[in-house]
Amino acid sequence: MRRTPKDAAVVATDSWTDPDGFRSPGGAVHAWLPSTNQTVCGRQLSTAGLLRFPHIQWVDVQPATGRDADRVSAVCPQCAAGMGARRDDRSWTRTNPRP
Ligand SMILES: [Zn+2]
């Protein structure tokens, strides 16, 4: 999967309605590219029973920073890796200037 991660939306195992009336993801979340029928980590949406949230972006369900992560209990590590989270973490530690 070589699509730009910024395009990714979200699928989740559960949903709830937030105080503003928006359907929001809960439980375990995966990254999903809306033009596909599977998650970034390769699960088929239909067989895995995952709920689609095309109006929610992946960045918004990250528990550390996301505004729609209140009910998110788990972020799929494979999707996080596929979305470049670990690569970003690593590059952050490499930003120190070379001697
Ligand atoms: Zn996943």
Side-chain angles (χ1 to χ4, degrees):
M1 197 67 71
R2 291 287 179 255
R3 291 281 299 276
T4 305
K6 288 172 184 172
D7 290 342
V10 172
V11 294
T13 56
D14 199 5
S15 71
W16 65 290
T17 302
D18 77 6
D20 294 329
F22 287 99
R23 200 169 62 93
S24 297
V29 294
H30 296 265
W32 166 55
L33 299 173
S35 59
T36 70
N37 287 319
Q38 65 179 25
T39 63
V40 168
C41 64
R43 285 176 171 79
Q44 296 291 326
L45 299 188
S46 53
T47 56
L50 294 164
L51 305 167
R52 304 176 189 211
F53 298 87
H55 58 298
I56 304 284
Q57 290 197 307
W58 174 248
V59 293
D60 289 330
V61 297
Q62 303 310 300
T65 54
R67 59 183 178 176
D68 295 312
D70 290 358
R71 301 290 174 90
V72 173
S73 59
V75 175
C76 172
Q78 293 163 277
C79 283
M83 293 296 291
R86 294 185 181 175
R87 187 176 57 210
D88 287 349
D89 286 346
R90 197 174 303 144
S91 69
W92 177 258
T93 64
R94 284 179 182 170
T95 52
N96 294 327
R98 294 187 178 187

